[in-house]
Amino acid sequence: MEDLIGSFEKKDNVSLGKMLKEVENQTPLSLEILKLSSFRKGKAHIIGVTGPPGSGKSTLVGKMCKKLATMDLRIGVVCVDPTSPFTKGALLGDRIRMQELAKLPNVFIKSLATRGNLGGLASSTADIVQVLDAYEMDVILIETVGVGQIEFDVLGVADTVLLVSVPGLGDTLQTLKAGIMEIADIYVINQADRPGADESVKDLNLMVKESGKREWSPPIHKTVATQDSGIDELIHDITAHKKYLERSGLWKEKRQTRNVTRLYSMIESLLAQRVEDHINREESLKAKVQDVMKGERDPYTTSHEIVDRLIAKHNSYQYGG
Amino acid sequence: MANNTTNQEKKLFDHEVVQEIEAQKKRWQENTLKGKDGEGQYYSDSGIPINLLYTPDDIKDVDYLKDIGFSGEAPYVRGVYPNMYRGRLFTVRQIAGFGTPEDTNERFKFLLKNGATGTSVVLDLPTIRGYDSDDPEAEGHVGAAGVAIDSIEDIEALYDGIPIEEVSSNIVTHLPSTTVVVMAMFAAHAEKKGIPLEKLSGTNQNDFLMETAIGSSLEVLPPKASFRLQCDAIEYASKNMPRWNPVSYNGYNLREAGTTAVQEVACAIANAIGTSEELIRRGNKIDDFAKRLSFFWNLFNDFFEEIAKCRASRLVWHEVMKDRFNAQHPKSHLMRFHVQTAGITLTKVEPLNNIARSAIQGLAAVLGGAQSLHVDSYDEAYSAPTEESALISIRTQQIIQAETNVVNTVDPLAGSYFVEKLTQDMAQRIRDYIAEIESKGGLVAAVESGWLHREISDFAYQMQKDIEDGKHKIVGLNYFPTEQSQTKVEVFRYPETAESRQKEKLEKLRKKRDKEKVERALAVLRQKCHEDVNLMPYIKEAVLEYATLGEIEEVFREEFGLWQFPLA
Amino acid sequence: MQIKVVMAKLGLDIHWRGALVVSRMLRDEGMEVVYLGNQFPEQIVDAAIQEGADVIGLSTLGGNHLTLGPKVVQIAKEKGVDALVIMGGVIPEDDIPLLKEAGISEVFGPETRIESIASFIRSEVNQSIA
């Protein structure tokens, strides 16, 4: 591990790749790495890109990246694709839309499969981002799965969220509307050379206005990613959003909230695991679960009984020594 | 013309006769056939249900004069020429191309001496992809799967001693970006030799699908740009090279990549429709160029479906030209096509079986009325053909020509209830798929959105599953699997020295040419990329100054930008 | 453990059917497949580093197997990547020993069943972990 961290600190991409692989597979070694204080930097600007399928997210991320790379920034890209629930396999196809990044030394791309996680990201995403941040990336772009519904996970990870849509996906926008206003800091109408682009912009404008006055009013951009058009303006607003976050104190606040959220979610999963282990060890509890399974006992009472029992046992252990 | 008859439809069979046949068929099914009709459904390779027996009632709506007609007349189902192979046998075309132009020139001479009636050249990957032989990206590819062409000097060497004003020259340029450069070199070389452009006959492949959907690559031009170059070449030839086919809409490679026979034909025709619309927008008349549009089909093993495809494609093309574009010249209405047998159906196991497969496919092509033919060699699942295997391919075609007598009568399968019915079914499915493409905004849009790539990928994936499940039978592989371990096949070796020889020539060329003139010609071309003009004359100027293929295509890449292949 | 495969078309070769079908079918076999499209050896190895690939799959029908295939192995070694390198496509029988000598673990011809590729990968990858 020392060797790995040593070469990691020397900015050796091979060691970064190896470390990410550990983290992706949530190995014991990866937990040791993530505990290190040098892995709590919080410096990178984390940009989430979400949107429905076919909106050209990957191409857009690729072009943004190319532009950012010319600004002498170090960039990490995390692309997420769905895992097949049947075979557990995944085809990770985002990278092919970013072929022109292959020769850029300051761009590092990691493709992740969701591995059963439903919120639009892989469950390891936050950890992956943490490692990329520790590697002193200036910008980390996260591309969500994009399967249609709103993918809220990205809100918990990113500082700036882009919602990408395309003309003609008006219906999709409507269905997204319920949660759309809360999700995005910047809207992008990609493939804006297609008919209906201006209407989409108008619709979005209306929706943004309806959502009430806010300190940061989400701008709406038209891009044609395949032709590099509108990218400069988009980058400009992403930078502006970062400045706004810093100025308003949100930059720090978001990070703090994120830290606490991560703590709580870890506590949650840890507890769940411990409770399950305990039930499996204690025959009387196991029997209760069996009864619920058969429908002979109700889950409301039983859940209270189990938790009460565990806490009581834990307290007696504490006080009784 | 066949459609000079009255408007009243004349059915092939009398109504009463059909009714009687239908009644008798029912009886036959219930009494004679009963319980013997086999289990399950039968389908053609493209999914058309196939009946156990066809009778006149299956084609009861067919009007012979309107729907089938005579050879050399509308609707051209029976063939594009009145006398078909009695007038001119199909051209025996065998592709050659490896090493340097000098190497391929030798193979050309060998094939011509043995009865090939035209040359057909395939280019190496760097040439197809627009890189010179000394480009770092070209390493390992120079002269490997085709011949390397860097400058007009290479074209001169390739056709040295070949009477290009007499034998036709097929140049498998694949991509429009390659086509415009190589075609300009070919034309310029002919003029230097004193051969007028009107005398040149031959074909380029020139299909933007090849650049943007069929073949994957780094550094692909956007579909719109590739389509523009495709149209530039066609427009230039229609004005200057009246005997040249500046396009061969490439159903072939589309099918190899993964489509049905229906999709193959529909995409190619949709591309021709798009081309026609663009050339008309530029102020050309349909009859100025339609007669120079040619097609390229791939014939698999589903014998009757492939024959029906050939017939149906002529029918649909005629409809498109007549009804949609109101073309007047009879030649605009007739679809001429080249056939190559299906490389992807050839097996690596028991390779000699491939001779049988190719012969069956080649026979289907002739029964389908192909204008020219390439029969794949049995060793293509191993490498490029050896001289010996290429000769077997020629001999196969000669056997069809001279020993089977199938060329003596026109469209011999016409009138078969089954073949006529299948022809009608194929035609309808082709029309429907063209309509589907148009509902996506036309072929260029269908490529831009990645729709076509998904169609191809899904087909190829399903096919592989069907092969592994044994649903799609392949002899020696999943049907009577071979017991032979490995057949020793003599493998053709690409000349290893090609890369260094080609690089040497390039180095000399770069030294001796007038650098300033090259740069000036390229600067003009660069500027013209952004104007609504045909680029061919400017490319020709550049090649005459010895600008290389890679330099010209670099201009395209810089000016048109690059496109990311929408694959997943 | 999930097996991760980086799949690429080697260099300029244009035939994508095989590589994509194999990618989709390895996914069906439960693997995570990163499809790169066409790339050159240096970039293929970089992608394998970034993705933490257990396997690098190279596909070619372009006749470049002997030049570019071994180059992938060589660059991988230089950079300290220990992924398994396998190859598929139209490759003459006589060249297979040369490729293996150069460090390509296995070469699969056009008629290989996907199961045999998958089981080869599984056994090799599991061995290297154990």
Side-chain angles (χ1 to χ4, degrees), chain B residues 125-126 131 137 139-141 144-145 210 213-218 255-258 344 346-349 381-383 453 456-458 460-461 463-465 468 477 486 488 491 493 565 567, chain C residues 9-17 20-21 24-25 27-28 35 37-40 60-68 71 89-96 109-115:
Chain B
L125 280 167
Y131 303 105
E137 317 246 300
E139 191 197 338
H141 293 284
M210 198 65 204
I214 299 166
S216 74
S217 186
L218 290 162
R255 188 87 182 276
E256 291 281 302
I344 201 150
L346 303 185
T347 60
K348 207 175 165 191
V349 295
Y382 288 82
S383 178
H453 305 81
I456 295 170
S457 164
D458 288 348
Y461 170 69
M463 175 61 87
Q464 184 61 30
K465 281 175 109 165
E468 301 211 347
L477 193 65
Q486 264 311 323
K488 193 76 190 156
V491 172
R493 289 287 165 184
F565 207 67
L567 252 198
Chain C
K9 296 263 356 130
L10 201 48
L12 296 176
D13 182 29
I14 59 175
H15 307 82
W16 57 267
R17 175 182 179 143
L20 199 73
V21 168
R24 288 177 71 163
M25 294 189 85
R27 173 201 60 190
D28 295 348
Y35 184 67
N38 291 67
Q39 281 300 355
F40 288 91
T60 182
L61 286 79
N64 58 11
H65 51 275
L66 279 182
T67 42
L68 298 191
K71 211 167 166 184
V90 175
I91 290 154
E93 225 45 54
D94 295 354
D95 292 350
I96 294 175
E111 280 140 22
T112 317
R113 289 176 68 86
I114 210 74
E115 288 166 12

Side-chain angles (χ1 to χ4, degrees), chain B residues 122-183:
Chain B
V122 57
L123 310 172
D124 70 0
L125 280 167
T127 307
I128 289 171
R129 293 296 331 147
Y131 303 105
D132 288 332
S133 297
D134 57 359
D135 194 296
E137 317 246 300
E139 191 197 338
H141 293 284
V142 176
V147 63
I149 300 292
D150 296 317
S151 76
I152 189 170
E153 285 190 344
D154 290 329
I155 289 287
E156 285 163 3
L158 183 63
Y159 292 101
D160 182 50
I162 311 277
I164 54 170
E165 65 277 27
E166 285 162 27
V167 300
S168 68
S169 315
N170 183 35
I171 310 176
V172 186
T173 41
H174 288 305
L175 318 187
S177 47
T178 321
T179 305
V180 289
V181 180
V182 174
M183 196 174 144

Side-chain angles (χ1 to χ4, degrees), chain B residues 423-437:
Chain B
T423 302
Q424 299 293 328
D425 284 352
M426 290 294 283
Q428 193 50 46
R429 285 173 185 238
I430 292 165
R431 292 181 198 110
D432 291 345
Y433 200 75
I434 292 173
E436 194 175 343
I437 291 167

Side-chain angles (χ1 to χ4, degrees), chain B residues 531-549:
Chain B
E531 294 173 20
D532 190 8
V533 294
N534 193 312
L535 294 178
M536 281 297 294
Y538 308 101
I539 299 165
K540 211 167 121 202
E541 284 307 311
V543 303
L544 278 168
E545 298 299 348
Y546 299 96
T548 64
L549 175 124

Side-chain angles (χ1 to χ4, degrees), chain A residues 145-295:
Chain A
V145 173
V147 285
Q149 77 269 34
I150 300 221
E151 297 169 331
F152 286 104
D153 275 6
V154 71
L155 292 175
V157 189
D159 303 313
T160 303
V161 174
L162 270 63
L163 182 81
V164 188
S165 189
V166 285
L169 277 182
D171 294 345
T172 325
L173 278 181
Q174 288 301 323
T175 57
L176 293 178
K177 205 170 164 184
I180 206 170
M181 287 312 122
E182 292 74 32
I183 198 170
D185 302 301
I186 294 170
Y187 295 94
V188 181
I189 299 291
N190 193 25
Q191 300 171 25
D193 55 345
R194 277 168 42 178
D198 290 332
E199 284 86 332
S200 297
V201 171
K202 226 190 277 170
D203 289 352
L204 268 174
N205 253 320
L206 210 66
M207 282 194 244
V208 170
K209 275 192 190 126
E210 276 172 8
S211 75
K213 215 172 154 55
R214 282 187 284 169
E215 227 185 304
W216 169 263
S217 177
I220 300 161
H221 282 274
K222 284 199 288 185
T223 57
V224 186
T226 50
Q227 291 165 28
D228 265 324
S229 143
I231 306 297
D232 289 1
E233 295 81 350
L234 181 59
I235 298 283
H236 176 268
D237 271 5
I238 290 172
T239 316
H241 187 249
K242 185 187 180 198
K243 282 188 189 135
Y244 157 74
L245 290 175
E246 286 167 343
R247 203 173 51 236
S248 63
L250 278 170
W251 180 266
K252 200 173 164 198
E253 204 183 307
K254 277 197 177 209
R255 276 167 173 64
Q256 289 174 347
T257 316
R258 216 179 281 154
N259 290 343
V260 175
T261 315
R262 280 188 82 191
L263 172 66
Y264 272 103
S265 84
M266 283 176 197
I267 291 174
E268 254 174 60
S269 54
L270 219 57
L271 270 180
Q273 190 55 50
R274 293 237 177 132
V275 169
E276 204 185 320
D277 291 350
H278 206 99
I279 293 173
N280 286 334
R281 276 203 307 268
E282 204 169 314
E283 287 306 321
S284 66
L285 296 181
K286 244 175 156 174
K288 284 183 179 179
V289 174
Q290 290 288 321
D291 290 346
V292 171
M293 191 171 85
K294 291 178 205 147

Side-chain angles (χ1 to χ4, degrees), chain B residues 357-535:
Chain B
R357 290 190 179 95
S358 300
I360 292 168
Q361 295 164 4
L363 179 62
V366 175
L367 294 174
Q371 275 55 62
S372 58
L373 182 59
H374 167 104
V375 167
D376 276 346
S377 299
Y378 72 88
D379 50 359
E380 291 196 21
Y382 288 82
S383 178
T386 58
E387 212 159 77
E388 182 221 14
S389 69
L391 189 59
I392 293 175
S393 294
I394 290 189
R395 294 298 184 236
T396 304
Q397 301 190 55
Q398 290 165 340
I399 289 166
I400 296 172
Q401 285 185 340
E403 299 182 13
T404 63
N405 284 351
V406 296
V407 295
N408 293 352
T409 188
V410 169
D411 187 25
L413 289 175
S416 149
Y417 313 124
F418 174 42
V419 171
E420 293 299 355
K421 170 73 171 123
L422 201 52
T423 302
Q424 299 293 328
D425 284 352
M426 290 294 283
Q428 193 50 46
R429 285 173 185 238
I430 292 165
R431 292 181 198 110
D432 291 345
Y433 200 75
I434 292 173
E436 194 175 343
I437 291 167
E438 297 195 318
S439 77
K440 308 285 169 205
L443 196 61
V444 176
V447 170
E448 280 176 333
S449 71
W451 176 81
L452 188 62
H453 305 81
R454 277 193 298 281
E455 293 275 291
I456 295 170
S457 164
D458 288 348
F459 177 90
Y461 170 69
Q462 192 56 48
M463 175 61 87
Q464 184 61 30
K465 281 175 109 165
D466 288 349
I467 291 170
E468 301 211 347
D469 296 346
K471 268 192 233 158
H472 185 90
K473 293 189 187 72
I474 298 174
V475 172
L477 193 65
N478 63 6
Y479 188 72
F480 293 98
T482 186
E483 287 175 1
Q484 299 172 11
S485 51
Q486 264 311 323
T487 317
K488 193 76 190 156
V489 168
E490 188 207 332
V491 172
F492 178 73
R493 289 287 165 184
Y494 306 115
E496 275 172 22
T497 54
E499 187 163 333
S500 58
R501 280 185 287 151
Q502 203 60 17
K503 278 182 173 172
E504 244 170 65
K505 278 163 52 184
L506 254 179
E507 204 188 328
K508 271 189 210 150
L509 179 90
R510 290 195 205 279
K511 270 184 200 147
K512 79 174 185 205
R513 63 186 185 174
D514 186 331
K515 218 174 154 197
E516 231 168 72
K517 280 184 175 168
V518 176
E519 271 163 20
R520 210 177 307 136
L522 290 176
V524 173
L525 176 63
R526 192 179 292 280
Q527 182 205 331
K528 296 292 171 188
C529 285
H530 301 285
E531 294 173 20
D532 190 8
V533 294
N534 193 312
L535 294 178

Side-chain angles (χ1 to χ4, degrees), chain B residues 48-107:
Chain B
I48 297 175
I50 300 297
N51 298 341
L52 180 133
L53 185 82
Y54 287 84
T55 53
D57 68 310
D58 289 301
I59 50 169
K60 63 185 177 191
D61 292 327
V62 170
D63 176 335
Y64 182 82
L65 293 175
K66 188 171 139 284
D67 300 327
I68 301 175
F70 299 98
S71 46
E73 286 187 356
Y76 300 100
V77 171
R78 305 211 56 185
V80 291
Y81 303 123
N83 54 3
M84 285 304 289
Y85 301 130
R86 285 200 193 190
R88 188 168 69 203
L89 283 169
F90 56 89
T91 310
V92 176
R93 254 195 219 304
Q94 283 307 124
I95 291 186
F98 55 88
T100 63
E102 291 81 3
D103 298 328
T104 298
N105 179 266
E106 267 180 53
R107 178 67 75 94

